[in-house]
Amino acid sequence: MRTSPVLTITVAATAALAGPLTPPPGAPAPTNKTLRQVEPSTPVDTLPGDATALHIISEPGAYHLTGNIEATNLDRIIQITSTGVSLDLRGFRVRGDATVDAIIESNNISITIRNGTIAGGDDFGLRLNATGHIVEDITFSGAGAFFNQDGVALSVGFGSRVSGCVFTGSGRVTTGDAVLIENCTFTEARNALVLGNGCVARDVTIDGGLDSGPEAVITAESGCMLERVSIVRSFRQAVFAGLHTSIVGCSFTNDSSASSASRAIGVGRGAVVVNTRIDRFGTDGIRVGADSVVAYCTITTLDGTAIGAEGGAVIDRCTLSSVGIGVVGERVIIQDSTFTACQRGALLDTESIVQSSRFTNCVTEGLAVGFGSAVRDCIFRGGSTGVTVAMGDCVIEGNQFDSQPLTVSSSDSVIDGNTFTDPNTGALTVPSAGNLIIRNRFSSTLASVTNIGSGNAVGTFTTNPATAGPCDNLRF
């Protein structure tokens, strides 16, 4: 059999074209560039401007800086007049003085600005007025605040995202609706954030620089969420927000002295404040509107009220200590919460419920409740006054008073199944008529531990539990 000449030639040619099979020495290394490095990009310094702007970007696409840019006596340094522009500062700085109104500005949609520094400017640092923008990894240094911090470092429109930015001695950040602010840091900030409806601020740290003033550090419209936001060293109110605000996992603290702000948090109806800590921040801690929830929060060292709540609010599993008043409200539910060393534990008006909570060493008063309220399964220990019931139709049931008195100065209330340990004279005082007093227990056989007026329905007082009736009160 003869070998095909065509096949011989093909194999020989293939062998001649093949490269060496032995790999080069050393570990393999990537040779490709990133997409950002290879995509077409235009240097901004090659673009002309006009009488109002140093450079104008008028076409969509990618642009970048090749060095720092500084300018004076202009409305803006870079003006973007096209949609769909991506501007990479590549670590460089764009700076203007007090004669520059805005450093970078655009009135078009879908603008991306990243990776560099924006400094100076009289009124604005970066101003993106339309929608759908991305601002990431930008340092704002004195932006929008050439003379003071009352300007705007960054303004973005609806549906934008701001991520990984640093604001140092700059003006505020203002947003349209549905904007995400995440992983940002503010230092020497006054009113750092002004948020539209439905915005989210997440993983944000703000150092107020011990500044004071009437505006809040964060002002938000309705439906916003603040998640893992930390504010320190500010004598301003921390948060002032609208309806249905959520504040989750936040911290508002001052290290050395109590803040002179009116309060740390003020939010509207239907708010949720969860797992948040307030320490020496504001005269008052939290003020929530009706139908709100405050849960798993810790509030310490305030001169005023830790939590002020309107009708239908729920206070659940909160820890309040060293405050003027723990909770003030009407038609409020408090459950599984702890009040320690408060001047007064809670002052509650009509139809409130307090259950499974502990009041320890409250100085003036543990708890005062109004008409139609209920106090169940709570512990009152230390201090001078346990519970005061000034209005009728209340239920005081299943509580433990450890050296603490219960005073009911109204009618039509039920005092049932409470325990008084180490009671003093007048541990149970009921001067008014028309109340039901049954099944209570006193760790003293002295009749003086009770001071009950005539006209009440009172279970028989006995010292023998073996012969006690189902509604008898027991002294032991």
Side-chain angles (χ1 to χ4, degrees):
M1 179 178 179
R2 293 190 301 171
T3 302
S4 169
V6 176
L7 178 61
T8 302
I9 293 170
T10 303
V11 172
T14 303
L17 294 174
L21 299 178
T22 303
T31 59
N32 293 331
K33 295 183 178 180
T34 65
L35 178 60
R36 189 179 298 178
Q37 290 173 317
V38 300
E39 68 178 350
S41 181
T42 302
V44 171
D45 59 9
T46 65
L47 303 176
D50 59 17
T52 63
L54 183 64
H55 301 291
I56 298 176
I57 299 175
S58 58
E59 298 291 337
Y63 296 84
H64 66 273
L65 298 190
T66 59
N68 294 331
I69 298 177
E70 295 195 17
T72 61
N73 297 309
L74 291 168
D75 290 344
R76 57 205 60 84
I77 297 177
I78 299 175
Q79 177 74 46
I80 302 173
T81 60
S82 172
T83 64
V85 168
S86 175
L87 174 57
D88 189 343
L89 304 187
R90 294 195 178 179
F92 295 112
R93 181 184 67 191
V94 185
R95 184 182 185 278
D97 64 7
T99 63
V100 176
D101 180 51
I103 305 301
I104 302 175
E105 183 178 69
S106 179
N107 294 316
N108 294 275
I109 65 172
S110 302
I111 307 299
T112 297
I113 311 289
R114 59 166 59 95
N115 187 26
T117 297
I118 295 175
D122 188 20
D123 293 326
F124 292 92
L126 174 58
R127 187 180 189 183
L128 303 176
N129 292 324
T131 64
H133 306 300
I134 297 174
V135 180
E136 57 187 10
D137 301 325
I138 296 290
T139 295
F140 293 83
S141 178
F146 196 87
F147 290 113
N148 53 54
Q149 291 166 278
D150 293 330
V152 178
L154 171 64
S155 175
V156 292
F158 175 90
S160 297
R161 175 171 64 86
V162 180
S163 177
C165 294
V166 176
F167 300 83
T168 302
S170 296
R172 67 182 72 91
V173 174
T174 63
T175 78
D177 297 342
V179 170
L180 171 62
I181 310 286
E182 61 179 352
N183 299 311
C184 292
T185 300
F186 295 76
T187 58
E188 299 179 16
R190 291 184 177 180
N191 49 326
L193 292 174
V194 180
L195 305 175
N197 294 286
C199 292
V200 174
R202 177 184 299 135
D203 297 313
V204 173
T205 300
I206 302 173
D207 184 334
L210 298 179
D211 183 66
S212 61
E215 297 176 296
V217 178
I218 298 176
T219 302
E221 298 293 338
S222 299
C224 291
M225 171 179 281
L226 307 181
E227 184 177 7
R228 297 186 298 276
V229 172
S230 172
I231 300 178
V232 300
R233 297 196 326 129
S234 179
F235 288 172
R236 291 173 178 261
Q237 180 170 331
V239 177
F240 179 79
L243 305 176
H244 307 297
T245 298
S246 296
I247 299 175
V248 180
C250 296
S251 174
F252 309 107
T253 65
N254 277 311
D255 295 333
S256 58
S257 62
S259 168
S260 60
S262 58
R263 64 176 60 95
I265 299 173
V267 290
R269 186 185 187 111
V272 175
V273 184
V274 178
N275 194 28
T276 289
R277 178 179 179 81
I278 299 172
D279 182 11
R280 290 172 289 194
F281 202 112
T283 302
D284 297 332
I286 301 173
R287 178 70 184 183
V288 294
D291 304 319
S292 296
V293 174
V294 181
Y296 296 97
C297 292
T298 299
I299 304 176
T300 62
T301 320
L302 301 177
D303 293 334
T305 301
I307 301 174
E310 296 182 8
V314 176
I315 316 298
D316 184 19
R317 292 174 175 82
C318 291
T319 299
L320 315 176
S321 63
S322 300
V323 300
I325 305 174
V327 177
V328 174
E330 178 181 1
R331 291 188 296 109
V332 172
I333 297 174
I334 300 175
Q335 56 192 23
D336 298 302
S337 294
T338 300
F339 300 75
T340 304
C342 302
Q343 190 69 29
R344 308 176 80 174
L347 303 180
L348 305 179
D349 210 332
T350 304
E351 297 176 347
S352 294
I353 297 174
V354 184
Q355 56 193 17
S356 303
S357 295
R358 179 184 291 265
F359 297 77
T360 304
N361 295 327
C362 293
V363 178
T364 303
E365 190 170 39
L367 174 64
V369 294
F371 177 85
S373 296
V375 182
R376 294 188 174 95
D377 302 321
C378 293
I379 297 175
F380 299 88
R381 180 169 292 145
S384 59
T385 304
V387 176
T388 301
V389 181
M391 304 294 289
D393 287 359
C394 291
V395 175
I396 313 299
E397 181 180 23
N399 303 287
Q400 179 180 334
F401 296 86
D402 186 356
S403 302
Q404 289 286 289
L406 166 62
T407 302
V408 180
S409 55
S410 58
S411 59
D412 300 321
S413 291
V414 175
I415 304 165
D416 181 5
N418 301 285
T419 300
F420 296 81
T421 58
D422 298 324
N424 298 311
T425 299
L428 174 60
T429 299
V430 187
S432 301
N435 299 288
L436 175 64
I437 305 171
I438 59 174
R439 297 186 295 195
N440 298 288
R441 297 172 293 277
F442 302 83
S443 65
S444 173
T445 58
L446 298 176
S448 60
V449 300
T450 58
N451 180 11
I452 301 174
S454 60
N456 292 292
V458 183
T460 301
F461 279 90
T462 180
T463 59
N464 187 352
T467 60
C471 292
D472 286 355
N473 297 287
L474 177 65
R475 297 190 181 110
F476 60 93

